[in-house]
Amino acid sequence: MVIDDSARSGVSAETASGAPSATIEIEAYDFGRSATLSREHARALELAFETFSRQWAADLSAKIRVRATVTVENVAMQAYGEYAQSLPTTTTLVVCAFPDSAERMIVQFPSSAATAWIVQMVGGRATGANEERTFTPIEQALVGSLMTDAIALLTGTMGGLLPQRITIAGIQYSSQFAQVAAANEPVIVAQLSMRLGGRTVPTSIMLPASILSGITSRVSEADRSATPGLVRRQVEQSPVELSLRLASRSVVPRDVLGLSVGDILPLPHAADRPLLLLVGEQQVATAAVGTAGARLACVVTSTVPDPAPEESA
């Protein structure tokens, strides 16, 4: 049987003086998305995309003669099918080809935003939001020129992660029909926010996950040697269920179903015997019931030796 005063260790705790201790941030693991970016990969890509965003905003501002700002909202790894489902039904997808490879890259933005860029480039003034439509041959050529410069900036800021001579393979307008990768293939997606002319539009860049091999090859031996310590620290900081229990007794379901208020159920636990302190179902110590201010507490009376040294001996 379990005493109703149990604590969840590692999530939130209080000291004996009542002051709250530090809370550990726990991130839930998504089994439906097992392929995720490591902290090292995510940070390297975020820095690269932040540099690219600043350079792209400056380059675009000079070409369309309107002040533009581009900020990075999120960088994550996801399946290509999930990325395609998140896009609007009608949008602009600039599909880029890698040299000597079947892999593709996508630069995505609303067609109405690109139409406004073109109006500004030819000396006009964009008025309000235009409709989402396909480009004329002249518009497609102007957008292609803008994207060629943007791809060159992206290649430079990625620090060798992307190959040189990336070319534009075509422009698609339907996110559901632009099948540039298998639906379950992992890709890197950078969500950007572009603001120009008083309007904010969502933009995204999709890269093949194979570029991560370039980051992995840069990991030093010192970083690799620190991995076991990082794993141990993560295990030590993971929350566990801590409970104080009496010794258990086996009963049949008939006895449990027949319980009523006032019944006495003897337990095989002597009155002078310490209670069991368990983490999950593993006993780690024995303890006596006590108090800490206005709350129940337990006083550890003995600890259970680690079975590992005994087994090795």
Side-chain angles (χ1 to χ4, degrees):
M1 296 185 66
V2 182
I3 290 181
D4 60 355
D5 179 40
S6 60
R8 189 179 291 270
S9 173
V11 177
S12 62
E14 293 187 357
T15 61
S17 62
S21 61
T23 301
I24 300 174
E25 294 292 337
I26 304 299
E27 182 178 353
Y29 180 79
D30 186 357
F31 287 91
R33 189 187 297 176
S34 57
T36 57
L37 289 175
S38 66
R39 183 175 301 179
E40 175 195 3
H41 290 166
R43 185 56 182 161
L45 290 173
E46 285 173 359
L47 290 174
F49 277 113
E50 286 172 359
T51 302
F52 163 72
S53 298
R54 292 191 296 269
Q55 295 182 3
W56 189 23
D59 181 71
L60 195 60
S61 299
K63 287 183 170 63
I64 66 176
R65 297 187 296 276
V66 173
R67 178 177 174 81
T69 58
V70 182
T71 56
V72 180
E73 299 292 339
N74 184 48
V75 179
M77 177 183 286
Q78 55 187 223
Y80 174 76
E82 183 181 357
Y83 168 66
Q85 289 292 334
S86 67
L87 298 176
T89 303
T90 303
T91 186
T92 300
L93 302 168
V94 180
V95 182
C96 306
F98 288 10
D100 303 324
S101 175
E103 294 182 320
R104 295 291 184 265
M105 179 183 85
I106 288 178
V107 181
Q108 176 270 329
F109 45 84
S111 303
S112 58
T115 304
W117 302 345
I118 295 169
V119 171
Q120 293 288 153
M121 288 175 66
V122 298
R125 182 173 295 277
T127 57
N130 300 313
E131 62 178 355
E132 299 293 326
R133 60 173 177 81
T134 60
F135 299 143
T136 65
I138 294 178
E139 290 173 338
Q140 190 166 348
L142 292 174
V143 171
S145 176
L146 289 176
M147 289 301 102
T148 299
D149 294 340
I151 294 168
L153 292 175
L154 181 62
T155 302
T157 56
M158 282 292 167
L161 296 180
L162 293 179
Q164 301 294 326
R165 297 179 291 108
I166 297 177
T167 58
I168 297 178
I171 298 179
Q172 301 285 340
Y173 302 97
S174 174
S175 59
Q176 305 305 315
F177 291 100
Q179 296 296 331
V180 302
N184 60 349
E185 183 175 343
V187 294
I188 307 299
V189 177
Q191 301 288 349
L192 310 178
S193 178
M194 178 183 294
R195 181 172 180 81
L196 68 164
R199 181 188 176 195
T200 301
V201 295
T203 306
S204 64
I205 297 176
M206 187 219 76
L207 302 175
S210 60
I211 67 169
L212 295 179
S213 59
I215 301 179
T216 304
S217 63
R218 300 175 184 177
V219 180
S220 65
E221 291 298 329
D223 294 332
R224 292 191 179 96
S225 63
T227 300
L230 295 175
V231 173
R232 180 181 179 85
R233 186 174 63 183
Q234 181 65 29
V235 172
E236 291 175 345
Q237 293 180 350
S238 298
V240 294
E241 191 78 19
L242 185 66
S243 59
L244 193 61
R245 301 184 183 179
L246 299 168
S248 61
R249 170 190 171 183
S250 298
V251 295
V252 296
R254 181 181 64 250
D255 295 337
V256 176
L257 296 175
L259 290 175
S260 59
V261 178
D263 287 350
I264 297 177
L265 186 64
L267 296 173
H269 198 110
D272 58 349
R273 177 184 171 187
L275 305 182
L276 307 179
L277 191 64
L278 298 96
V279 173
E281 295 298 327
Q282 179 66 41
Q283 182 181 351
V284 295
T286 60
V289 177
T291 59
R295 298 192 177 190
L296 283 176
C298 65
V299 180
V300 176
T301 58
S302 66
T303 58
V304 176
D306 185 0
E310 297 179 359
E311 293 176 359
S312 61

